[in-house]
């Protein structure tokens, strides 16, 4: 075994093997994989081998499509068969909600170029005659679904990687890993020690233990999972064509043909986290004890759905563990807080996802950033709120909801509340309906008197509609109050702070006492943040962005922090407070401070450190509602006092609390974009209009400058636009296709209902040649073509008179 390698990958499951295949394919040859036992010795060997493209995140779905497309290439390259069966798959719908869900998925696939189609019960019976369609309303058919041989496929990755230069060391457990001063890693194994520039944790069932060796906690947990294979069934083998897969969400089951019989697996409600206190090192090629009681309800449904099951005996029952992150997507990328340590863990659908995970990681390591937005599987989408028990509870919930309809307005209940601000109790008394983001509770809206504080999950306008409308009107007509804890906040200070921020931000730096809206770009000029930068005093900045991107942004900040002269502090939970917004916001502010807050003394885009009542506050004159507004930040322990001061002073001004639903509606009136919807690493400044905040003439060589200049030179081919939609009771969510002249020409990024303008609004991309005022298009919402018109003047305060006045 050699003693130095550019990269050491720990784990020879399907994921580790895909990582070394992609690293060597993209050009790094000094790559070594270390496996404790034989290849496939974790979850991989007992997988059912099914694959599919469907994923709620479009980029994840695209990467799943990439994975499936790779198998033929691997077979050709290596001669090793993956035993591919491209049989197609059907997802059944037995309720109107599920049908809506499938229609929304089908619409999203159109924008992605995927050929899924909706089929009727009669067509289902034709495709899969063993399926009893009683109670079935329809289904989504995906021709790309199929299954393969897990072991053959893993060996095909491994063989291809070896042909490209990778070394694989078997029967060699990694015992310790430690970071060296130069950023490299010392890897101590049973067979000796290796120095590696980069370390990849692809240890699957043992990823938690391997993470601990480096002092990190990776939020994932293994779950038990059962499937069984039947004896031969004549209706199955006596056909000239293999049966397609059938997913029956009502029965929480997936079914496919296996030779002359069937395989059926279950994601049951009564599920079991496995190895809660850690995975044994001597766990190997063994199965867990079967537990048919746990799946008896699902089996009963399955016997009704597929009556032929009753004719066959069960040949084998597999109960094996595999790992999940709290949201079910993988944990990939540079692990925050460590140098040159990469995660390729929590891959719950290895045969749909490992190819995309390997490609993404290899691009990230070799080229510095992935070629598309992968936030949905970025290890930094979770933060330190993910305790072990939080992870376990969320993983269990995710497993149970594997086949559930997921609604755009749904808030999942497990492990909540966890983080909450001091104002939580105040909101509870006002009948607040809470949501949660990045572990933190926030108010979505306030339910009316006598109403149950619960928003019914729906694809259509929900029971929150009237309350949210009232909250929006209060902001536009008087003054609203809302918490600002939903921003990630950072204090960046020190003699080199200005230069540092000027380098990582693409926009103009504000003078002391001023704010600037500032995009942060990757080297390829993709949008990786939309910040508000405030210079409080010379060399002291408060920087705010999305709350849920904290670990993601901190990772970037720290990666680019100079050796000295800059201090970076994440103060997201320490500095909280409220924003007040609306025509009477200034009157309210003036009532609670001795400072002069007139427009002359405190103009738009300025920041002041002033006393509000007895609290010392940082006040920013800006508001995401698009109205005249102020964000007031105080230390967390002063939040309740601040609320009492503001609410007492604002009572006769019509002050009313509002939640995130109202905030997201109000932003539509000004065509404001939002993080991970309009602004994300798939899009560029010119495409999204953020170029107006990029300082192309800045002297400093800011990150992404060359690529941004090149983009400006070339121009963009598509543009983010705003549309008024003739929607009836369902507004857009995201990724609905935009049609023009019978063709899909673009897609929606987000939207909703503007309660102020009483119009349904969508944001979306159109090719440049179609962008013109009044352009008519159609947007496919839940399977219906809805007319929409492009407009460019904000619906509220188009001249920014309120905002700046
Ligand atoms: C019953 C069941 C059915 C499934 N069905 C499907 C399916 O139909 N389709 C699908 O896509 N997925 C399915 N899965 C999930 C699939 O198995 C996983 O997504 C996949 O195997 C994950 O692969 P991995 O490489 O991440 O992890 P693992 O397979 O767990 O591999 C990790 C490897 O790391 C090695 N390792 C760990 N620690 C060390 C160390 N310290 N030193 C050296 N080596 C180490 C282990 O020995 C192991 O070989 C199923 C899983 C189960 C349990």
């Amino acid at each position: 075994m050699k003693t130095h390698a550019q990269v050491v990958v720990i784990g020879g499951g399907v994921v580790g093997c895909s990582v070394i295949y992609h690293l060597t394919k993209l050009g790094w040859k000094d790559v070594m994989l270390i496996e404790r036992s034989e290849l496939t010795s974790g979850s991989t060997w007992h997988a059912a081998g099914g694959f599919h493209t469907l994923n709620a995140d479009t980029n994840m779905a695209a990467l799943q499509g990439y994975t499936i497309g790779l198998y033929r290439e691997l077979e050709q390259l290596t001669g090793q068969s993956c035993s591919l069966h491209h049989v197609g798959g059907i997802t059944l719908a037995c309720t109107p909600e599920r049908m809506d869900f499938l229609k929304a998925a089908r619409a999203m696939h159109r924008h992605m170029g995927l050929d899924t189609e909706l089929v009727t019960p009669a067509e289902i019976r034709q495709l899969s005659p063993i399926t009893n369609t009683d109670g079935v309303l329809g289904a989504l058919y995906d021709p790309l679904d199929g299954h393969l041989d897990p072991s053959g496929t893993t060996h095909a990755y491994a063989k291809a990687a070896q042909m490209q230069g990778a070394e694989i060391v078997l029967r060699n457990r990694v015992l310790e890993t430690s970071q060296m001063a130069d950023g490299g890693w010392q890897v101590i194994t049973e067979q000796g020690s290796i120095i590696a520039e980069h370390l990849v944790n692809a240890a699957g069932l043992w990823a938690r233990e391997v993470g601990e060796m480096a002092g990190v906690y990776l939020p994932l947990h293994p779950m038990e999972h059962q499937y069984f294979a039947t004896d031969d069934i004549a209706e199955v083998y006596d056909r000239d064509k293999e049966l397609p897969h059938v997913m029956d969400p009502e029965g929480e089951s997936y079914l496919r043909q296996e030779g002359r019989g069937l395989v059926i697996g279950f994601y049951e409600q009564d599920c079991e986290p496995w190895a809660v206190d850690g995975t044994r090192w001597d766990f190997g090629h063994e199965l867990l004890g079967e537990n048919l009681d746990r799946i008896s309800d699902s089996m009963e449904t399955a016997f009704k759905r597929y009556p032929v099951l009753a004719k066959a005996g069960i040949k084998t029952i597999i109960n094996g563990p595999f790992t999940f992150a709290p949201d079910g997507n993988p944990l990939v990328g540079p692990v925050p807080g460590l140098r040159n340590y990469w995660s390729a863990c929590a891959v719950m659908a290895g045969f749909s996802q490992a190819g995309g995970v390997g490609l993404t990681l290899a691009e990230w390591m070799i080229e510095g950033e992935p070629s598309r937005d992968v936030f949905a599987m970025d290890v930094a989408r979770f933060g330190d709120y993910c305790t072990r028990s939080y992870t376990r509870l969320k993983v269990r919930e995710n497993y149970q909801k594997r086949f559930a309809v997921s609604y755009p307005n749904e808030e999942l209940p497990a492990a909540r509340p966890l983080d909450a601000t001091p104002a939580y109790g105040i909101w509870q008394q006002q009948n607040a309906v809470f949501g949660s983001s990045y572990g933190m509770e926030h108010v979505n809206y306030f339910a009316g008197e006598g109403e149950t504080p619960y928003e019914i999950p729906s694809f259509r306008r929900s029971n929150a509609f009237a309350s949210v409308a009232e909250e929006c009107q209060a902001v536009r007509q008087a003054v609203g109050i809302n918490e600002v804890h939903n921003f990630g906040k950072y204090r960046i200070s020190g003699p080199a702070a200005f230069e540092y921020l000027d380098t990582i931000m693409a926009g103009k730096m504000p003078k002391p006492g001023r704010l600037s809206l500032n995009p942060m770009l990757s080297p390829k000029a993709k949008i990786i943040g939309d910040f508000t930068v405030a210079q409080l005093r010379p060399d002291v900045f408060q920087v705010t962005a999305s709350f849920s991107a904290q670990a993601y942004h901190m990772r970037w900040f720290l990666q680019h922090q100079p050796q000295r002269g800059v201090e970076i502090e994440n103060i997201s939970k320490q500095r909280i407070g409220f924003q007040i917004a609306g025509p009477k916001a200034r009157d309210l502010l003036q009532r609670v401070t001795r400072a002069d807050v007139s427009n002359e003394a405190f103009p738009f885009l300025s920041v002041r450190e002033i006393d509000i009542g007895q609290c010392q506050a940082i006040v920013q004159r800006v508001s995401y509602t698009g109205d005249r507004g102020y964000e007031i930040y105080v230390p967390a322990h002063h939040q309740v006092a601040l609320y009492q001061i503001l609410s007492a002073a604002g009572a006769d001004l019509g002050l009313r609390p509002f939640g995130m639903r109202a905030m997201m509606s109000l932003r539509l009136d000004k065509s404001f974009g939002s993080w991970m919807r309009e602004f994300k690493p798939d899009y560029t400044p010119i495409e999204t209009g953020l170029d107006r905040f990029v300082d192309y003439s800045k002297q400093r060589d800011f990150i992404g400058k060359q690529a941004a200049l090149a983009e400006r030179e070339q121009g963009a081919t598509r543009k983010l636009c705003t549309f008024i939609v003739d929607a009836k009771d369902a507004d857009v969510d995201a990724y609905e296709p935009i049609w023009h002249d019978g063709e899909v020409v673009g897609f929606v990024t987000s939207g909703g209902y503007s309660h102020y303008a009483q119009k349904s609004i969508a944001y979306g991309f159109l090719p440049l040649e179609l962008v013109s005022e009044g352009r008519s298009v159609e947007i496919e919402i839940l399977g219906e073509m809805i007319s929409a018109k492009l407009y460019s003047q904000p619906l509220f305060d188009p001249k920014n008179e309120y905002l700046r006045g």
Side-chain angles (χ1 to χ4, degrees):
M1 188 176 76
K2 60 186 181 184
T3 54
H4 284 80
Q6 192 176 5
V7 186
V8 164
V9 176
I10 304 174
V14 65
V15 175
C17 291
S18 169
V19 170
I20 58 168
Y21 167 69
H22 283 93
L23 283 170
T24 49
K25 185 177 177 185
L26 267 58
W28 280 9
K29 303 295 176 190
D30 187 10
V31 170
M32 191 178 196
L33 182 145
I34 301 182
E35 165 54 47
R36 179 186 68 98
S37 173
E38 304 297 330
L39 295 182
T40 79
S41 293
S43 297
T44 299
W45 73 274
H46 48 42
F51 56 77
H52 53 88
T53 45
L54 303 191
N55 190 296
D57 182 85
T58 49
N59 281 349
M60 284 295 304
L63 284 169
Q64 293 186 189
Y66 164 80
T67 303
I68 295 167
L70 197 61
Y71 295 130
R72 290 261 179 257
E73 190 182 315
L74 286 176
E75 288 186 332
Q76 275 162 12
L77 192 67
T78 62
Q80 163 73 51
S81 166
C82 298
S83 229
L84 286 175
H85 296 249
H86 276 290
V87 292
I90 305 165
T91 303
L92 306 178
C94 295
T95 61
E97 292 74 26
R98 170 89 47 195
M99 211 54 219
D100 276 353
F101 184 52
L102 296 185
K103 283 178 191 164
R106 166 69 193 112
M108 186 170 101
H109 298 153
R110 273 196 226 275
H111 133 66
M112 295 165 59
L114 288 176
D115 272 336
T116 54
E117 55 181 297
L118 293 166
V119 289
T120 61
E123 288 167 318
I124 296 166
R125 287 192 296 276
Q126 249 182 0
L127 288 160
S128 175
I130 61 164
T131 303
N132 170 4
T133 55
D134 286 355
V136 174
L137 302 177
L140 186 74
Y141 176 70
D142 181 359
L144 286 180
D145 271 22
H147 56 273
L148 45 62
D149 166 28
S151 171
T153 302
T154 307
H155 281 90
Y157 276 123
K159 191 168 171 194
Q162 284 170 314
M163 288 164 68
Q164 291 168 169
E167 182 177 336
I168 295 179
V169 182
L170 299 176
R171 293 172 293 284
N172 185 25
R173 174 145 76 94
V174 170
L175 304 170
E176 278 175 45
T177 62
S178 40
Q179 178 113 61
M180 299 183 307
D182 66 356
W185 287 88
Q186 184 178 32
V187 183
I188 300 185
T189 76
E190 288 170 334
Q191 293 176 25
S193 159
I194 308 145
I195 302 296
E197 280 171 43
H198 296 269
L199 196 58
V200 179
N201 179 346
L205 284 179
W206 294 265
R208 293 174 296 174
E209 287 70 22
V210 169
E212 270 168 27
M213 291 177 194
V216 288
Y217 171 66
L218 293 164
L220 58 89
H221 204 284
M223 295 292 296
E224 290 188 18
H225 180 69
Q226 298 186 88
Y227 68 87
F228 64 78
T230 70
D231 290 327
D232 295 357
I233 302 174
E235 288 86 340
V236 173
Y237 65 77
D238 208 6
R239 284 168 46 90
D240 48 10
K241 205 167 158 214
E242 194 172 342
L243 286 164
H245 294 196
V246 184
M247 272 60 68
D248 179 16
E250 263 32 69
E252 299 158 331
S253 72
Y254 57 88
L255 170 121
R256 70 168 172 82
Q257 183 171 342
E258 168 81 10
R260 291 161 64 89
L262 292 168
V263 156
I264 183 161
F266 303 95
Y267 280 86
E268 71 281 11
Q269 293 304 300
D270 183 19
C271 54
E272 209 41 56
W274 182 74
V276 172
D277 297 313
T279 306
R280 287 182 357 239
W281 283 112
D282 62 354
F283 183 77
H285 271 253
E286 63 199 270
L287 289 171
L288 311 175
E290 63 196 50
N291 186 338
L292 291 182
D293 283 352
R294 245 182 20 226
I295 53 174
S296 59
D297 287 351
S298 306
M299 279 171 73
E300 206 175 301
T301 314
F303 277 81
K304 285 189 196 134
R305 181 67 65 217
Y306 314 106
V308 291
L309 284 175
K311 294 186 181 175
I314 295 178
K315 195 164 63 183
T316 35
I317 299 175
I318 305 280
N319 184 10
F322 62 129
T323 56
F324 294 75
D327 60 3
N329 275 339
L331 297 172
V332 180
V335 174
L338 295 177
R339 286 162 73 194
N340 303 327
Y341 190 97
W342 304 83
S343 170
C345 304
V347 183
M348 61 77 54
F351 298 95
S352 303
Q353 297 175 332
V357 167
L359 174 70
T360 299
L361 201 70
E363 286 177 345
W364 216 327
M365 293 173 76
I366 296 173
E367 292 158 18
E369 61 185 286
S371 55
R372 67 187 88 208
D373 162 44
V374 291
F375 190 78
M377 63 172 174
D378 190 332
V379 61
R381 71 189 182 281
F382 296 109
D384 54 13
Y385 64 94
C386 277
T387 60
R388 275 159 225 277
S389 352
Y390 175 92
T391 303
R392 191 173 66 248
L393 291 167
K394 278 290 176 200
V395 163
R396 187 167 190 274
E397 177 184 63
N398 183 274
Y399 185 98
Q400 289 169 326
K401 292 190 80 73
R402 173 90 178 122
F403 280 128
V405 173
S406 49
Y407 297 92
N409 67 339
E410 190 171 13
E411 297 285 352
L412 300 177
R416 289 179 51 205
L418 182 61
D419 287 343
T421 62
Y424 184 75
I426 299 174
W427 304 140
Q428 270 184 317
Q429 285 170 10
Q430 301 185 29
N431 220 16
V433 181
F434 292 95
S436 159
S437 161
Y438 204 73
M440 173 68 90
E441 296 295 311
H442 59 250
V443 176
N444 275 340
Y445 71 99
F446 295 88
E449 236 180 77
E451 273 177 36
T452 312
Y454 175 69
E455 184 178 10
I456 300 166
S458 173
F459 289 102
R460 294 164 199 277
R461 290 176 196 152
S462 78
N463 58 321
F465 193 78
S467 301
V468 176
E470 283 176 24
E471 291 171 24
C472 291
Q473 296 310 331
V475 173
R476 290 285 183 244
Q477 286 165 10
V479 52
I481 182 166
N482 158 276
E483 271 194 272
V484 283
H485 62 302
N486 240 33
F487 290 124
K489 285 150 254 143
Y490 312 91
R491 187 181 169 89
I492 299 184
S493 58
F498 185 99
E499 184 183 339
Y500 166 70
L501 281 170
D502 201 27
T503 307
I504 61 168
M505 301 287 167
K508 276 199 173 52
M509 290 294 289
K511 297 199 165 60
R514 301 287 298 165
L515 313 173
S516 67
L517 305 176
N518 232 312
M520 190 162 80
L521 304 181
S522 74
K524 292 181 183 159
K526 302 287 176 142
I527 298 164
I528 55 171
D530 58 327
F531 284 87
T532 303
V533 177
Q535 186 163 185
L536 304 177
R537 277 166 261 147
D539 299 334
V540 181
F541 295 83
Q542 179 169 288
V543 172
T544 52
S546 164
F547 188 80
S548 59
Q550 282 174 61
Y552 177 84
H553 284 147
M554 275 303 282
R555 181 176 66 193
W556 189 259
F557 290 163
L558 295 176
Q559 275 169 356
H560 295 89
Q561 184 180 21
Q563 294 264 319
R564 55 187 76 82
V566 181
E567 271 184 51
I568 302 168
E569 230 184 312
N570 181 353
I571 52 165
S572 303
K573 290 184 199 164
Q574 284 85 358
R575 274 264 160 201
I576 54 178
F578 303 96
Q579 71 160 316
I580 51 171
K584 297 194 178 155
R586 183 183 297 130
D587 298 346
L588 172 55
L589 187 63
Q590 193 61 80
R591 285 182 182 188
V592 294
T593 183
R594 293 175 63 81
D596 179 0
V597 296
S598 65
N599 200 31
E600 296 68 41
F602 195 178
F604 182 57
L605 292 186
S606 49
V607 57
R608 300 283 179 268
E609 291 181 86
I610 56 179
D611 283 357
I612 306 283
Q614 63 273 37
C615 308
Q616 278 190 332
I618 294 171
V619 184
Q620 301 193 158
R621 168 94 194 263
V622 70
S623 172
Y624 193 52
T625 61
D627 223 304
R628 181 176 301 158
Y630 303 86
E631 292 169 359
I632 307 171
Y633 297 95
V634 292
H637 51 277
H638 289 170
Q639 194 197 22
V640 172
L642 178 65
Y643 182 77
Q644 283 166 354
I645 294 160
L646 290 168
S647 59
D652 65 330
L653 294 174
L655 180 71
R656 180 177 174 142
F658 66 102
M660 289 305 293
R661 296 272 187 264
M663 174 110 122
M664 293 310 273
S665 168
L666 293 163
R667 70 154 188 143
L668 299 173
D669 305 335
K670 297 290 280 182
S671 295
F672 288 163
S674 88
W675 173 245
M676 274 300 134
R677 294 179 178 94
E678 286 67 44
F679 308 138
K680 59 178 187 161
D682 274 335
Y683 313 141
T684 65
I686 296 189
E687 289 174 340
T688 53
L690 279 188
D691 55 329
R692 66 187 189 281
F693 300 117
V694 174
D695 183 6
Y696 292 94
S697 61
K698 170 150 98 170
Q699 287 299 308
R700 185 106 41 209
D701 203 8
F702 63 87
I703 297 173
K705 185 176 181 183
Q706 295 315 317
L709 285 169
E711 192 209 11
R712 192 174 62 157
E713 185 79 19
Q714 278 166 7
T717 55
R718 62 181 180 181
K719 195 91 193 146
L720 186 65
C721 305
T722 317
F723 304 87
I724 291 174
V725 190
D726 290 344
K728 292 173 208 86
D729 64 343
D731 304 301
V732 298
D733 175 35
Y735 297 112
E736 290 86 353
I738 303 179
W739 294 76
H740 182 257
D741 277 351
E743 270 182 48
V744 176
V745 291
F747 63 95
V748 166
T749 52
S750 76
Y753 188 76
S754 158
H755 290 278
Y756 162 74
Q758 304 193 358
K759 290 183 182 357
S760 182
I761 306 297
Y763 300 157
F765 282 104
L766 271 194
L768 212 53
E769 61 276 14
L770 288 180
V771 178
S772 62
E773 188 69 26
R775 164 78 61 198
S776 291
V777 294
E778 285 181 301
I779 301 181
E780 188 178 343
I781 304 177
L782 302 179
E784 261 188 81
M785 295 296 190
I786 311 286
S787 310
K789 242 187 189 44
L790 189 155
Y791 72 98
S792 45
Q793 279 287 309
L795 299 168
F796 170 72
D797 191 22
K799 295 193 178 138
N800 289 332
E801 285 160 346
Y802 261 114
L803 194 71
R804 294 172 178 276

